[in-house]
Amino acid sequence: MSESKRLLVLAGSYAEAENEGIYAYELNEDTGSLSKLDGIAGVKNPTFVNVDAEGNKLYAIGETASAEGNKMSEAVALSIDPSTGKLTLLNRNDSISAPPCHIQRDPSGKYLILSSYHGGLVGLQALTDNGEVGALLDEKKHEGQGAHPERQDKPHVHSAFFSPDGKYMMVQDLGADNIAIYSIDADKNELVLHSETKTHPGAGPRHLAFHPNGEFAYVINEVDSSITSFKYDAAAGTLTELSTVSTLPDGYDGKENTTAEITVSNDGRYVYGSNRGHDSIVVFAVDADKGHLTLVEHVSAEGEHPRHFALTPNGKLLIAANRDTNNLVTFTVDQESGRLKYTGHSTGVSKPVCVKPVYL
């Protein structure tokens, strides 16, 4: 990393199209303070973003409506000026046929993947050679339901994450208690269902994070507030369940809790998850041989409803996005113990949902 690069934090939020919804901040790594560089309006509910650091581009989801008034999706491309943090709209294109909740970019940089919770859909979108959003190429609608009568009465696709080698894509279906594993047929520009892994009944898988060794994957389950460890067979493209732990303290009987984000430290020693209700970040230590998790601590999110969080590229800071208290909060990370400490810095932003720290 060159000395000239700065640590930027790109954020997505709930917002009406006429209001700012996508933000760029500079993060001071010494203090943990955030300074706003830019904000851009024009996109409705750009809640989730994906950053192409090499191409200085940001991709966001947006909510649109069909001529009949049905909620639809769009994918939006923006350029990021690394010297100023200024965001500029490049282009936008229609996407999947239901409102979106997550956006992912494949490792080759040829595709975007959009997920729809409400529609139970996952879609494959083209990226052009210059990094703009192309046409929707394929859309798959999931089927099935889970054990929870209200939360899991139908499919709810929540996210897509690629295996370390980029060969397979894990699509978490919260409604069907299922992880659908796809490959991409690049000749036909299609999603191909490769295998499926059922989670335990009533889990509600939401997001997934791979261990850096590529042998383990961790799935945070929204409905029953748990994290499941899986063994990943890269050759077969399959996940096998190992064990499950609660994200909540023993005996917790506070307000209703749902989980949100999960990530693994760069060294693979710790797994972090967020609780909405208990309003905390939970820290687990990883058994390097077996992949199992052991509780280290719970830390207050310093706000309500931590919808998302991320570790900085060097792993020294964690940024949490608290949707219901409209703030971004930073923590220092003790990389030896995995423990978090609030920096004292909280930055106000309306209904933040996603934060992506990146050097530009």
Side-chain angles (χ1 to χ4, degrees):
M1 187 194 75
S2 69
E3 288 299 312
S4 62
K5 291 194 175 184
R6 297 189 298 173
L7 184 54
L8 301 190
V9 175
L10 290 307
S13 68
Y14 281 107
E16 293 302 318
E18 60 267 25
N19 298 327
E20 287 185 353
I22 303 170
Y23 303 90
Y25 296 87
E26 183 171 9
L27 177 55
N28 183 318
E29 292 188 82
D30 295 324
T31 65
S33 64
L34 287 164
S35 304
K36 184 181 173 185
L37 300 175
D38 198 15
I40 194 166
V43 185
K44 180 178 172 64
N45 291 336
T47 51
F48 224 87
V49 300
N50 178 278
V51 180
D52 174 6
E54 288 186 15
N56 293 330
K57 290 182 178 65
L58 178 147
Y59 300 99
I61 55 175
E63 202 174 289
T64 60
S66 68
E68 298 76 33
N70 298 320
K71 288 184 176 180
M72 306 278 285
S73 296
E74 67 172 345
V76 182
L78 299 93
S79 66
I80 311 164
D81 184 330
S83 61
T84 64
K86 181 175 173 55
L87 303 170
T88 304
L89 179 68
L90 291 175
N91 85 315
R92 60 210 306 168
N93 216 331
D94 292 339
S95 188
I96 53 178
S97 56
C101 65
H102 190 265
I103 189 168
Q104 185 64 267
R105 188 166 42 90
D106 86 302
S108 76
K110 289 176 61 178
Y111 304 106
L112 294 172
I113 313 295
L114 272 74
S115 301
S116 172
Y117 175 90
H118 291 290
L121 303 172
V122 58
L124 183 70
Q125 191 106 14
L127 280 173
T128 66
D129 290 342
N130 64 356
E132 294 188 353
V133 179
L136 180 68
L137 302 169
D138 191 19
E139 180 179 279
K140 293 287 189 277
K141 185 170 178 61
H142 284 197
E143 297 178 353
Q145 58 191 65
H148 194 289
E150 287 92 31
R151 297 295 317 278
Q152 298 182 305
D153 60 327
K154 61 181 181 179
H156 291 303
V157 174
H158 221 307
S159 64
F161 292 92
F162 283 88
S163 59
D165 62 8
K167 195 173 175 184
Y168 297 106
M169 181 179 82
M170 286 65 193
V171 175
Q172 284 58 241
D173 191 325
L174 180 150
D177 278 333
N178 190 52
I179 302 168
I181 302 176
Y182 290 90
S183 61
I184 298 175
D185 185 327
D187 293 326
K188 297 181 179 178
N189 287 323
E190 288 180 356
L191 295 170
V192 178
L193 184 62
H194 170 76
S195 66
E196 294 183 271
T197 299
K198 296 297 289 184
T199 60
H200 60 269
R206 178 185 170 101
H207 281 189
L208 173 147
F210 272 94
H211 192 280
N213 68 10
E215 295 179 16
F216 305 121
Y218 299 93
V219 173
I220 195 157
N221 302 307
E222 178 177 330
V223 176
D224 74 352
S225 298
S226 67
I227 294 174
T228 301
S229 308
F230 290 91
K231 177 78 172 172
Y232 180 61
D233 185 327
T238 54
L239 292 168
T240 304
E241 185 171 341
L242 296 172
S243 56
T244 298
V245 294
S246 173
T247 63
L248 293 168
D250 288 343
Y252 175 75
D253 61 357
K255 62 182 178 179
E256 182 184 5
N257 188 78
T258 58
T259 61
E261 178 60 346
I262 185 167
T263 196
V264 185
S265 61
N266 288 339
D267 60 9
R269 294 173 62 193
Y270 299 100
V271 167
Y272 298 84
S274 65
N275 286 304
R276 301 173 295 177
H278 187 246
D279 294 330
S280 63
I281 307 295
V282 60
V283 186
F284 291 97
V286 177
D287 181 316
D289 296 323
K290 298 181 179 177
H292 300 304
L293 301 181
T294 304
L295 179 66
V296 174
E297 66 169 352
H298 293 86
V299 175
S300 168
E302 302 296 336
E304 295 177 10
H305 199 95
R307 179 73 178 260
H308 191 259
F309 66 88
L311 291 167
T312 54
N314 62 15
K316 293 182 179 179
L317 291 168
L318 182 148
I319 309 113
N322 293 313
R323 190 196 69 186
D324 291 358
T325 42
N326 305 306
N327 63 333
L328 302 178
V329 180
T330 57
F331 300 83
T332 57
V333 182
D334 183 323
Q335 292 176 292
E336 195 53 44
S337 69
R339 291 177 177 268
L340 304 176
K341 185 179 180 183
Y342 176 41
T343 63
H345 290 286
S346 174
T347 302
V349 58
S350 178
K351 299 178 183 175
V353 171
C354 176
V355 284
K356 297 284 184 177
V358 61
Y359 284 112
L360 288 178

